[in-house]
Amino acid sequence: MGLTKAKLIIEKETGSKTIDVLFNPSEYQLTDGAFYSEKKIPGLDGPIIQYISGSATELSVNLFLDTYVPASSSLISSAASLIGMGSQSTDVSEITREIAAATSIDGSLHRPPMVTFQWGSLNFEGIVTKVNHTYTMFTESGMPVRAKVNLTFKSVISPSDEKRKSPFESPDRTKYRTIREGIQLWDLAYAEYGDPGMWKVIARENGIQNPLDVSPGQVIRLPAL
């Protein structure tokens, strides 16, 4: 099996544009995270940390592009110079500009294009959020023929995919839960409704005046919303 080359696939209105990378990257970095907010609950020493959402997975990778084509021999190189011709090298900035354009709105798509980075088992699809290109080799005329490109992508999740993997139970019907050791009303509110501040609804439904006045084994009614 031959060496698998990394590639970028840039979305176009019809079809796609594939850019092959001459040298495979030595590494890439995937970053995941989450967003939280703080909810202040009366009677507690500190706030409750409420999960808001996960953040988009980020991919950072360094790519190496090379369009330099050396002359086959010194004789050919000299002859080409005499008749005003250079080598068959092309301007690598034409490629880097095409990659950088993925951060801007494509007029035919009316949005930035989706870009896929493929290499081995990684097939990362998302939007390009940052491009840093450094030119490292030039011809005698100053034309850049080799470049290092640092790319940052963010994955894109469709609303339908997110809905299918939602972890919350449906809050549209009444349920009953038994209090366990260490569980408070705001824990039940977050597990059921995704918002610990909804403990007030649960307390009102169960006639509880003090949210700390619950004990293990107590059955709590969770109202439908």
Side-chain angles (χ1 to χ4, degrees):
M1 182 177 178
L3 178 66
T4 300
K5 290 293 187 180
K7 64 179 65 176
L8 287 174
I9 303 174
I10 302 176
E11 177 190 17
K12 300 294 182 182
E13 185 178 20
T14 57
S16 60
K17 167 73 173 182
T18 299
I19 298 176
D20 294 314
V21 179
L22 181 62
F23 302 106
N24 285 336
S26 59
E27 64 179 13
Y28 57 79
Q29 183 181 59
L30 293 168
T31 304
D32 292 288
F35 297 104
Y36 293 85
S37 68
E38 295 184 354
K39 292 284 187 178
K40 295 181 179 180
I41 306 297
L44 293 185
D45 291 333
I48 295 294
I49 302 300
Q50 178 186 2
Y51 175 82
I52 300 300
S53 69
S55 63
T57 300
E58 283 193 351
L59 167 67
S60 296
V61 62
N62 287 320
L63 304 181
F64 298 90
L65 304 173
D66 193 322
T67 56
Y68 176 66
V69 180
S72 58
S73 70
S74 59
L75 181 62
I76 294 177
S77 179
S78 298
S81 178
L82 287 173
I83 61 176
M85 295 176 57
S87 68
Q88 297 302 308
S89 302
T90 57
D91 191 336
V92 74
S93 67
E94 294 178 5
I95 302 176
T96 58
R97 282 197 297 267
E98 190 162 14
I99 296 174
T103 61
S104 303
I105 293 177
D106 184 310
S108 61
L109 296 172
H110 306 290
R111 58 172 173 76
M114 297 291 292
V115 180
T116 302
F117 176 69
Q118 289 184 352
W119 185 36
S121 60
L122 181 64
N123 190 73
F124 191 96
E125 183 179 12
I127 54 173
V128 176
T129 58
K130 185 178 180 181
V131 180
N132 186 310
H133 28 106
T134 303
Y135 300 97
T136 60
M137 183 175 175
F138 307 84
T139 63
E140 291 182 357
S141 65
M143 180 178 71
V145 291
R146 188 170 293 169
K148 179 175 68 175
V149 181
N150 177 262
L151 287 176
T152 302
F153 300 77
K154 277 193 176 183
S155 65
V156 176
I157 301 174
S158 70
S160 58
D161 290 340
E162 187 63 28
K163 184 176 181 181
R164 282 196 294 270
K165 68 177 186 179
S166 175
F168 298 112
E169 294 183 46
S170 172
D172 59 358
R173 63 181 186 276
T174 299
K175 305 182 185 72
Y176 294 87
R177 295 288 185 265
T178 300
I179 296 291
R180 304 192 309 275
E181 189 70 37
I183 297 298
Q184 299 294 340
L185 294 186
W186 37 85
D187 298 313
L188 294 180
Y190 174 65
E192 177 65 19
Y193 308 115
D195 182 358
M198 295 292 289
W199 70 267
K200 297 176 183 179
V201 175
I202 299 176
R204 184 165 54 249
E205 181 73 14
N206 291 270
I208 298 173
Q209 300 297 321
N210 184 350
L212 299 177
D213 190 20
V214 293
S215 56
Q218 182 176 350
V219 177
I220 299 295
R221 176 186 170 97
L222 305 179
L225 296 182

